[in-house]
Amino acid sequence: MSCLLLGVLRRHGAVGSSVGIRSLASIPSLPPAVAEFVKGAVDECKPTDVHVVTGTPEETANILAGLEKEGMVKRLPKYENCWLARTDPKDVARVESKTVIVTKNQRDTIPIPAGGVKSQLGSWMSESDWQKAREERFPGCMAGRTMYVIPFSMGPVGSSLTKYGVQVTDSPYVVASMGIMTRMGTPVLNRLAEGTEFVRCQHSLGRPLPLKAPLVNSWPCNPEQVLISHLPDMRRIMSFGSGYGGNSLLGKKCFALRIASRIAKDEGWLAEHMLILGITNPQGVKRYVAAAFPSACGKTNLAMMKPSLPGWKVECVGDDIAWMKFDSQGKLRAINPENGFFGVAPGTSDKTNPYAMATIAKNTVFTNVGETSDGGVWWEGLDPPAAGITLTDWHGKTWKQGSSTPCAHPNSRFCAPAAQCPIIDPQWESEEGVPIDAIIFGGRRPEGVPLVYESFNWQHGVFVGAAMRSEATAAAEHKGKVIMHDPFAMRPFFGYNFGDYLSHWLSMERRKAPTHLPKIFHVNWFRKDPATGAFLWPGFGENARVLEWIFKRCSRESEDEAAKKSIIGWLPVDGAIDTKGLSGNVDMGALFDVPVPFWQKETKELRAYFTQQVGADLPAQVEAELKALEDRVHN
């Protein structure tokens, strides 16, 4: 079979793109390197059919109709071309414990933690263990199913910042979602025909036919055998057992962060877990900023902000990933490599993010949200449905307000085309990328960390990114809230040793070519009043007031313009943040207080973290910044 397949993959002029074993000759020709990859995957996974994805609207409609027939998705008649998928309850999120990076040496992937502590900065698997795991999973895993071949582009086709991939998968849900999240199909295949390099992505649900056990929710997956593996030296991703987006849409975190961060290190650019937005002042001057926040810190809300300040305008380039490269003039330029938004639904509403709500009104695939009896969707954070409208939860069961379980899964998602966003930036698909003036780090810190501060310089800014921490709810309820280290908001996504990653960031300052480094800031929208537990800052559209200060600092004539020096960085001087029209009584003093005892404790935590987790791989410059902060907080 495979010799025959290789022959047809290379044959020219054939038509049609879905082939059964009896009609392999109907497959279109594929570029030799793609043909070789597909042949290897077919030999290993043994699908019954091969379908080369073209990306046409007719093909997408057929894929969705097939999913509907299989019971994997349901049409939502209330909206135009919207669909609802309900997964197996065991397949609802990224599985960090089953996500590995495979390299010859462990230290290429993670710093060796001190004293037997478990690394929090990635999971390494040896080549021999991986080979064994692969042999236990992939052989024959697509029996009875169609293998879809998806040529895709991360970034606008033709941009110098763009990278290409080919994903083989037995999940039509993945095909439908990749058609939203990436540029996919024939135009990409044409690029690959020119010999362009590509990342090889192999994905299987791990449920060959005939089934040995019934499916849950008509959703094929193999939770006990999940393994998402990355082979950065070979530019390859192999994912098994999960149909959930973060594990199966391999262009997303797997390629755009884990593999791309390694490519970026090798090639001298940055692949980051950052939103990109454009902000224009009332005088028409525009700047672009990139911002890294851990999950549940309002990344999408900031990327699509409706500013409360009159005359200011925010436009969205991307809400999740930024690829950034210095141009010949030394300006850092960024693209959003994605083509869609894969956002968390709960908490998204007309109050928190009206532009996201407009974006998802059509051509959207929803996963694990609630459903209304009039053919719409619902989740926590939306207004209760109109009288007489009933709700079905993400398990497909009747749900009533006040129930002890949520209607929508907390990690339920919308997958929508970015071009539908009402405030998508006119330059969002610019081939050269947009010029970045500022990089913002942030987290959910209930105490001690001010609303905004600026780093002293680039090296100190890299330290600020490395020191990022954010409140996360512990898995065990009784632990309450814990503050987690999440350096650069990249903790689950580093593609190589974090110490080397920090060195790579620091090296930007030593480029031989001209370099205009962006200024680096840290924000915290989530500080609380210790007496009441209420948030001190209203957030959302009011965050424009903070962006205004950042905007002005980008064109400052002197270091202390609208700023004063503190032990942690430059703080806005009193009155520098415009508070006119702020609703309620906002205590600016409390928001900008920098309590020394808190920062003494913070530096102690950081010292322990860097010692245990990064050890000998911590760059000397980052150690020097930590030492300098320790000196400042103790003197």
Side-chain angles (χ1 to χ4, degrees):
M1 166 188 158
S2 50
C3 297
L4 172 65
L5 176 64
L6 190 56
V8 294
L9 291 177
R10 288 187 173 160
R11 186 175 300 139
H12 288 271
V15 293
S17 60
S18 188
V19 296
I21 294 306
R22 285 189 294 279
S23 60
L24 281 171
S26 68
I27 199 164
S29 71
L30 291 176
V34 179
E36 192 183 343
F37 168 54
V38 173
K39 175 194 179 296
V42 167
D43 283 353
E44 182 172 32
C45 303
K46 304 281 190 283
T48 305
D49 301 275
V50 178
H51 175 103
V52 179
V53 173
T54 58
T56 63
E58 298 75 28
E59 180 188 61
T60 305
N62 286 339
I63 294 269
L64 285 162
L67 282 165
E68 189 173 26
K69 197 173 157 196
E70 285 175 38
M72 278 184 76
V73 302
K74 190 173 177 181
R75 189 185 291 274
L76 292 162
K78 191 172 176 180
Y79 320 113
E80 181 190 336
N81 191 31
C82 286
W83 305 81
L84 172 64
R86 291 193 185 107
T87 72
D88 183 317
K90 290 182 176 170
D91 190 23
V92 294
R94 281 186 296 104
V95 190
E96 281 182 29
S97 58
K98 308 282 182 70
T99 302
V100 300
I101 293 178
V102 183
T103 50
K104 200 178 253 14
N105 301 309
Q106 183 175 357
R107 202 166 169 183
D108 291 339
T109 295
I110 49 172
I112 308 304
V117 176
K118 186 180 172 348
S119 175
Q120 297 171 15
L121 293 162
S123 294
W124 175 75
M125 185 179 260
S126 70
E127 290 174 337
S128 57
D129 284 355
W130 177 76
Q131 197 53 47
K132 185 166 168 282
R134 175 183 185 168
E135 286 161 12
E136 287 166 358
R137 288 167 175 80
F138 280 99
C141 64
M142 295 188 187
R145 297 192 182 275
T146 297
M147 174 190 280
Y148 297 91
V149 179
I150 308 172
F152 67 96
S153 170
M154 300 307 293
V157 177
S159 163
S160 64
L161 287 103
T162 290
K163 299 288 174 189
Y164 301 91
V166 175
Q167 176 165 347
V168 297
T169 180
D170 53 5
S171 166
Y173 169 87
V174 166
V175 181
S177 303
M178 286 287 280
I180 295 171
M181 293 305 299
T182 71
R183 291 123 179 125
M184 166 184 98
T186 307
V188 180
L189 210 51
N190 295 340
R191 281 301 291 204
L192 297 177
E194 297 165 16
T196 306
E197 287 181 13
F198 63 97
V199 173
R200 289 153 174 79
C201 307
Q202 184 170 318
H203 169 254
S204 174
L205 300 165
R207 293 299 296 268
L209 298 173
L211 291 170
K212 291 195 173 74
L215 298 178
V216 178
N217 279 343
S218 310
W219 182 265
C221 61
N222 189 341
E224 283 69 42
Q225 291 284 301
V226 167
L227 186 67
I228 298 99
S229 49
H230 306 72
L231 291 82
D233 295 324
M234 297 167 64
R235 310 293 197 239
R236 185 180 276 257
I237 302 159
M238 295 189 72
S239 172
F240 185 91
S242 170
Y244 167 78
N247 306 322
S248 65
L249 310 181
L250 300 185
K252 197 159 179 59
K253 309 295 195 194
C254 297
F255 179 164
L257 289 177
R258 294 189 194 98
I259 295 291
S261 65
R262 171 61 196 278
I263 296 173
K265 172 181 168 274
D266 294 347
E267 296 179 356
W269 49 281
L270 299 166
E272 300 299 330
H273 187 208
M274 293 181 179
L275 66 92
I276 310 165
L277 63 82
I279 180 161
T280 308
N281 73 5
Q283 289 71 45
V285 179
K286 184 168 194 175
R287 296 188 181 281
Y288 289 93
V289 304
F293 298 163
S295 57
C297 291
K299 216 150 93 254
T300 303
N301 289 346
L302 183 62
M304 299 185 197
M305 181 210 285
K306 199 173 189 172
S308 63
L309 283 178
W312 285 79
K313 182 165 75 170
V314 164
E315 289 164 301
C316 176
V317 176
D319 78 327
D320 195 38
I321 296 171
W323 287 0
M324 303 185 286
K325 197 179 200 171
F326 286 98
D327 66 14
S328 55
Q329 273 70 57
K331 191 74 190 172
L332 190 62
R333 293 203 165 253
I335 61 164
N336 167 15
E338 299 191 292
N339 195 44
F341 301 121
F342 184 66
V344 174
T348 306
S349 70
D350 285 324
K351 287 194 280 289
T352 62
N353 196 335
Y355 296 131
M357 293 300 288
T359 304
I360 61 179
K362 61 181 180 182
N363 304 318
T364 297
V365 177
F366 296 93
T367 303
N368 289 340
V369 299
E371 182 187 4
T372 61
S373 56
D374 61 345
V377 290
W378 194 85
W379 50 76
E380 281 65 21
L382 292 178
D383 290 334
I389 303 291
T390 57
L391 289 168
T392 303
D393 72 7
W394 70 280
H395 292 288
K397 296 189 169 69
T398 305
W399 188 88
K400 289 193 166 58
Q401 297 281 351
S403 166
S404 60
T405 55
C407 182
H409 186 275
N411 192 42
S412 56
R413 298 280 173 160
F414 54 78
C415 181
Q420 291 181 182
C421 177
I423 56 160
I424 199 76
D425 193 90
Q427 293 298 304
W428 86 280
E429 292 192 285
S430 148
E431 287 191 4
E432 63 273 14
V434 298
I436 299 296
D437 285 321
I439 290 170
I440 303 173
F441 296 121
R444 190 178 271 270
R445 300 301 304 267
E447 58 171 322
V449 180
L451 181 62
V452 60
Y453 63 97
E454 183 187 340
S455 70
F456 295 126
N457 50 46
W458 181 259
Q459 179 175 299
H460 179 237
V462 173
F463 168 75
V464 169
M468 273 173 67
R469 301 174 71 204
S470 191
E471 184 182 73
T473 307
E477 247 61 88
H478 61 270
K479 282 186 187 164
K481 306 280 189 178
V482 290
I483 305 288
M484 303 267 293
H485 289 271
D486 194 350
F488 288 77
M490 281 283 282
R491 185 192 55 74
F493 310 121
F494 292 118
Y496 61 100
N497 182 307
F498 173 55
D500 296 340
Y501 170 95
L502 290 173
S503 297
H504 182 57
W505 265 78
L506 290 163
S507 75
M508 298 300 150
E509 204 170 19
R510 301 189 300 276
R511 291 175 79 246
K512 291 190 173 65
T515 305
H516 304 288
L517 292 168
K519 306 219 169 357
I520 296 179
F521 299 83
H522 188 284
V523 299
N524 174 29
W525 319 131
F526 300 99
R527 196 164 181 174
K528 290 180 174 177
D529 180 330
T532 64
F535 288 117
L536 287 168
W537 181 249
F540 302 111
E542 303 295 2
N543 293 338
R545 299 168 187 275
V546 174
L547 290 184
E548 178 190 29
W549 183 74
I550 289 172
F551 186 101
K552 287 177 174 169
R553 288 288 290 169
C554 289
S555 59
R556 61 171 189 252
E557 305 278 313
S558 64
E559 271 204 314
D560 60 356
E561 191 176 309
K564 59 186 179 195
K565 209 167 193 172
S566 77
I567 53 174
I568 57 169
W570 291 98
L571 293 173
V573 292
D574 295 347
I577 303 276
D578 182 355
T579 54
K580 280 197 299 291
L582 253 186
S583 51
N585 187 18
V586 176
D587 186 342
M588 298 304 280
L591 275 165
F592 284 104
D593 182 37
V594 181
V596 172
F598 171 88
W599 282 94
Q600 288 173 340
K601 188 164 164 272
E602 187 79 357
T603 49
K604 202 173 156 192
E605 292 268 1
L606 287 169
R607 171 66 67 190
Y609 177 73
F610 287 150
T611 302
Q612 285 179 358
Q613 290 292 324
V614 199
D617 292 323
L618 189 73
Q621 300 99 307
V622 178
E623 162 65 36
E625 288 297 338
L626 176 58
K627 180 79 180 69
L629 178 60
E630 286 170 336
D631 291 346
R632 291 193 300 269
V633 300
H634 287 290
N635 293 332

